[in-house]
Amino acid sequence: MVKFVAQRIRFRNGERYSLLQRVDGLPVHEVTLYLGKYRNKGRASNTIHLVCSCLALLYRELHLARVNLLERLAKGQFLTLPELDRLVSAARYRVEDLDEEPAEAKMKVIDIRRIGIRLRQKQDERQPVNVHTYASRLRYIADYLSYISGYVAATLPRGERRDLDADTALALNVFREHIPEVSKRDKLGARVGLSVEEQNRVLAVVHPESPDNPWVRGFVRRRNWLIVVILLASGMRRGELQGLQIGDIHPNLPKLNILRRADAAEDRRTRQPNTKTSDRTVTSMPQKGPERRRRRKSSICC
């Protein structure tokens, strides 16, 4: 079975990139062309990888449905609505929870009375992705299908090109209606930070001298204690912490710099951690008023 994987690569100059690879290691040419527009716009490597992962899902589902996208488009035909509905359904779930082979390849004689039970069990096992991921998948898939359809249509005679463009526009309008609206406002059930009591409990547990510390080696205990203290005191992301360097720390001051070092050649990691925001300086110094009292409890207090 052909599998499609979003593969991260690192060039000699330090640039990180992603390719959609088949199981034989060869990249999917048309996807490489499409991802080039994100690279040319200077998009972050993690953004490019996210798009590539969405297209890996697309090609995987097309393969399971026995659809060769380029061959279909070269005939002047776009995906049918049932085929698009299959993509909409697949985008709701984690990739590892979806079927690994075509349904007809797994067919065998079973008791018809057990079909309903099996279907319910399969649905219960699937884990849906959050609404933001679901919406992003559909948006990127729709944009790519529009791109590749136009790319192939340019090689067709005028009449076939016109028909393919019309079919693509009509089908993708229906497809995009499935994209959920994602509110940027805070909602009930949204993720929140640790309370002051929870922060103090974490600090007490990971203290190097704590009997509840889950780590054994002294170096690991001290390192992890430092990690937790920095995260709580600065509020930085974990990717920002992984990119922190000694020179970013201000000597004799409770301040440090968070710098964006995208595609740094000296960083040998293929999946380079990085900050999602602009460069900035953070401090653990408490503020005035009620905020000062809250920060004092949650900063380096042990």
Side-chain angles (χ1 to χ4, degrees), residues 57-119:
L57 173 64
L58 166 65
Y59 273 82
R60 176 190 178 281
E61 291 302 314
L62 291 178
H63 175 74
L64 292 177
R66 302 189 183 280
V67 174
N68 187 308
L69 184 58
L70 288 184
E71 290 182 0
R72 174 74 66 82
L73 296 174
K75 296 178 182 178
Q77 301 173 356
F78 193 67
L79 299 178
T80 64
L81 292 182
E83 290 167 344
L84 291 174
D85 285 340
R86 175 191 177 102
L87 295 175
V88 170
S89 178
R92 295 179 182 272
Y93 301 101
R94 299 187 308 176
V95 174
E96 55 268 28
D97 291 339
L98 301 176
D99 294 334
E100 291 295 332
E101 55 183 323
E104 55 268 27
K106 302 187 294 182
M107 289 181 62
K108 60 182 180 180
V109 178
I110 61 175
D111 189 339
I112 194 172
R113 292 171 296 183
R114 300 177 60 187
I115 293 179
I117 298 177
R118 289 194 173 190
L119 289 176

Side-chain angles (χ1 to χ4, degrees), residues 251-269:
N252 303 322
L253 290 175
K255 297 196 304 182
L256 53 83
N257 297 328
I258 298 178
L259 305 178
R260 182 172 178 82
R261 299 185 176 92
D263 298 329
E266 65 274 12
D267 193 330
R268 309 299 298 180
R269 291 171 289 188

Side-chain angles (χ1 to χ4, degrees), residues 208 213 215-227:
N213 194 308
W215 295 285
V216 177
R217 295 175 55 193
F219 165 76
V220 176
R221 286 190 170 201
R222 291 189 294 272
R223 180 199 64 189
N224 293 349
W225 159 252
L226 178 61
I227 288 174

Side-chain angles (χ1 to χ4, degrees), residues 6 28 31 155 158 266:
V28 180
V31 172
T155 65
R158 181 174 301 178
E266 65 274 12

Side-chain angles (χ1 to χ4, degrees), residues 11-56:
F11 297 124
R12 291 182 178 179
N13 64 354
E15 179 185 357
R16 275 76 173 175
Y17 199 58
S18 293
L19 295 173
L20 179 59
Q21 290 185 340
R22 296 190 291 263
V23 70
D24 57 8
L26 294 177
V28 180
H29 176 67
E30 57 271 22
V31 172
T32 303
L33 293 177
Y34 174 75
L35 294 177
K37 76 173 188 177
Y38 291 93
R39 181 188 183 193
N40 294 337
K41 291 180 179 179
R43 296 294 180 86
S45 59
N46 285 337
T47 299
I48 296 177
H49 189 75
L50 171 61
V51 178
C52 192
S53 299
C54 295
L55 300 186

